[in-house]
Amino acid sequence: MADLSFIEDSVAFPEKEEDEEEEEEGVEWGYEEGVEWGLVFPDANGEYQSPINLNSREARYDPSLLDVRLSPNYVVCRDCEVTNDGHTIQVILKSKSVLSGGPLPQGHEFELYEVRFHWGRENQRGSEHTVNFKAFPMELHLIHWNATLFGSIDEAVGKPHGIAIIALFVQKGVENDLQELEKLSTCRHFPCLSTGSNCEACQGKSKTIPCFNPNTLLPDPLLRDYWVYEGSLTIPPCSEGVTWILFRYPLTISQLQIEEFRRLRTHVKGAELVEGCDGILGDNFRPTQPLSDRVIRAAFQ
């Protein structure tokens, strides 16, 4: 039988408590139309879910966000694991990079755990968040956990001030020399899982790249132009307690670079596809959720 373990992974992070693992073991989830995550993952029914549509005119300027500058102290990660889990591409970072300041609790350090990517099959869609109902072809997330309060990311998930995620929109434009993205959008480094692939570097769902520098993903060296709101993880279990930091200015990559992501597959060669899945990895974004009574804050006017 084909190995579908990477398609059946049911939660955002691999380590879980034993009772949770037994409860969710083998549960499938996906982005197919009509799939209701809340039937299996109760947190997905919460009032403060993500992603959302961000109405820039209704965002409230909060100068206190600049009292302590948002400070990512990122270091180059050696031997990072790049994984295609059938839902997205993840870069698992092993070096200790931390984020502090800005909207985060004073004196707390949030450790960078991974980078995730979400993209559409067409340029008109792909980002999870939208700005004034405009979607971007891609959105990437830098996911951090509060290392001051908790001992691991699994302890931090679902807790107040447990998780902080930097979201970066990606738009089509001229090809850039963003080296870290190039490492992920070339076959020799990317676990493409494409049907019939003969690339020796793409024979599995994971690959190791020699180094990855998350600093190169940040668009603005001053890190001043961003929005903030409180929400949830955008993938199961959709736990709340997440501080979202969305940068105003998107990264720019070429159409060719975007198409490299669209070559990816959800399965290994010969695997049996789940019902409703054509095997193409894309449109892996959750629909926007109601804002409810939440306030979106802006660090700029």
Side-chain angles (χ1 to χ4, degrees):
M1 176 178 284
D3 180 10
L4 296 181
S5 60
F6 61 92
I7 295 178
E8 295 174 351
D9 288 343
S10 58
V11 295
F13 308 108
E15 298 179 8
K16 300 189 291 290
E17 297 294 333
E18 184 175 350
D19 56 344
E20 293 176 335
E21 186 172 358
E22 292 177 356
E23 179 180 351
E24 296 172 347
E25 183 178 2
V27 175
E28 296 180 4
W29 64 271
Y31 294 95
E32 295 79 13
E33 186 175 357
V35 173
E36 295 289 342
W37 291 353
L39 297 177
V40 180
F41 304 98
D43 286 353
N45 300 314
E47 188 175 2
Y48 301 132
Q49 289 288 290
S50 298
I52 61 169
N53 173 63
L54 194 155
N55 188 325
S56 61
R57 293 184 177 181
E58 294 181 359
R60 180 183 302 170
Y61 173 56
D62 184 356
S64 70
L65 293 172
L66 301 177
D67 288 347
V68 179
R69 188 170 66 90
L70 184 66
S71 300
N73 184 14
Y74 293 163
V75 297
V76 176
C77 176
R78 305 293 179 185
D79 298 327
C80 296
E81 183 181 3
V82 183
T83 300
N84 177 344
D85 68 357
H87 301 298
T88 186
I89 293 298
Q90 313 165 252
V91 182
I92 307 297
L93 303 172
K94 300 176 182 178
S95 300
K96 186 173 181 179
S97 294
V98 297
L99 178 70
S100 61
L104 304 178
Q106 188 172 359
H108 289 212
E109 288 190 340
F110 286 69
E111 186 170 328
L112 179 59
Y113 176 75
E114 69 174 356
V115 181
R116 284 178 176 255
F117 296 81
H118 301 268
W119 64 92
R121 299 189 183 191
E122 298 179 358
N123 290 343
Q124 292 75 23
R125 62 181 187 267
S127 63
E128 297 213 293
H129 293 84
T130 57
V131 179
N132 301 325
F133 300 101
K134 169 185 168 58
F136 294 82
M138 182 181 292
E139 180 176 335
L140 62 90
H141 296 159
L142 286 76
I143 301 174
H144 310 72
W145 58 279
N146 191 329
T148 301
L149 293 181
F150 306 102
S152 70
I153 189 169
D154 298 281
E155 291 181 14
V157 168
K159 306 296 196 313
H161 305 299
I163 302 292
I165 302 179
I166 288 180
L168 295 163
F169 298 112
V170 180
Q171 67 181 5
K172 186 188 76 168
V174 297
E175 184 168 352
N176 63 36
D177 59 354
L178 187 59
Q179 295 181 357
E180 305 315 300
L181 196 59
E182 283 292 327
K183 291 175 184 177
L184 302 180
S185 61
T186 55
C187 184
R188 68 178 182 274
H189 291 304
F190 219 10
C192 62
L193 300 185
S194 57
T195 303
S197 171
N198 294 318
C199 175
E200 293 183 0
C202 300
Q203 291 293 330
K205 64 176 183 175
S206 298
K207 282 299 296 179
T208 299
I209 56 177
C211 64
F212 188 86
N213 184 0
N215 286 294
T216 65
L217 300 176
L218 301 176
D220 177 9
L222 297 178
L223 303 179
R224 292 174 60 93
D225 288 358
Y226 60 85
W227 296 284
V228 176
Y229 81 97
E230 299 299 318
S232 73
L233 301 175
T234 61
I235 58 177
C238 302
S239 306
E240 296 180 354
V242 176
T243 298
W244 281 91
I245 302 169
L246 299 96
F247 278 98
R248 179 184 186 184
Y249 297 112
L251 301 172
T252 300
I253 63 176
S254 70
Q255 183 66 38
L256 182 61
Q257 289 172 310
I258 295 175
E259 292 299 333
E260 290 291 343
F261 283 85
R262 294 173 179 160
R263 292 176 55 245
L264 303 181
R265 299 295 184 265
T266 62
H267 60 289
V268 294
K269 183 179 179 181
E272 178 183 354
L273 299 180
V274 296
E275 185 177 355
C277 176
D278 61 7
I280 298 175
L281 180 52
D283 287 346
N284 55 349
F285 56 91
R286 187 187 189 192
T288 55
Q289 306 296 303
L291 182 62
S292 300
D293 61 353
R294 287 176 286 181
V295 174
I296 300 170
R297 296 183 290 158
F300 60 93
Q301 290 179 298

